[in-house]
Amino acid sequence: VLPYVQSLLPPLKEKLANVAKNPSKPHFNHCLFESISCLIRFTCAKDQAAVGHFEAELFPLFQAILQGDVLEFVPYVFQILSLTLELRPAPIPQPYLELFPLLLVPVLWERQGNIP
């Protein structure tokens, strides 16, 4: 996977940005997020420093999804953020800490898809 990360991530990111505007194909969306998750997991298993690269590439898009309240994607975004947070060494970076107040908003937990 490592040799292909540079060529796989940009098209996946572009597709995610496009489908976030109109998430109408749930199966495709699920496979898209699974592909991104696998890319992160397998790459960072071999190179832990790659977590920072994925964060830099995906965090702005994830913030846009969360701020745009794309309901279909919020659980996926939280799962991938959880994955990158687990794979990264301490300390926790500032962008994650800035998301913390958002996670405590009761409305977020009233949605069925966000309850673990």
Side-chain angles (χ1 to χ4, degrees), residues 1-108:
V1 174
L2 287 175
Y4 304 105
V5 172
Q6 297 298 328
S7 60
L8 289 173
L9 187 58
L12 289 172
K13 191 173 128 181
E14 181 182 337
K15 291 212 182 303
L16 180 56
N18 288 335
V19 297
K21 296 173 189 169
N22 184 17
S24 59
K25 298 180 180 177
H27 185 48
F28 175 81
N29 298 337
H30 177 79
C31 291
L32 178 60
F33 276 100
E34 283 294 322
S35 299
I36 293 169
S37 297
C38 288
L39 191 61
I40 293 169
R41 182 176 303 280
F42 295 127
T43 301
C44 296
K46 298 287 184 189
D47 180 13
Q48 194 176 27
V51 174
H53 172 71
F54 284 109
E55 290 170 339
E57 289 291 319
L58 296 171
F59 216 86
L61 183 54
F62 288 167
Q63 284 178 319
I65 289 170
L66 293 174
Q67 289 171 350
D69 203 25
V70 182
L71 297 177
E72 295 88 342
F73 290 173
V74 170
Y76 291 114
V77 168
F78 284 146
Q79 289 174 12
I80 293 178
L81 290 174
S82 170
L83 174 64
T84 56
L85 194 55
E86 287 175 8
L87 292 170
R88 109 170 331 283
I92 297 172
Q94 190 62 33
Y96 289 99
L97 297 175
E98 291 170 4
L99 283 176
F100 193 67
L102 171 72
L103 299 175
L104 300 177
V105 176
V107 173
L108 181 67

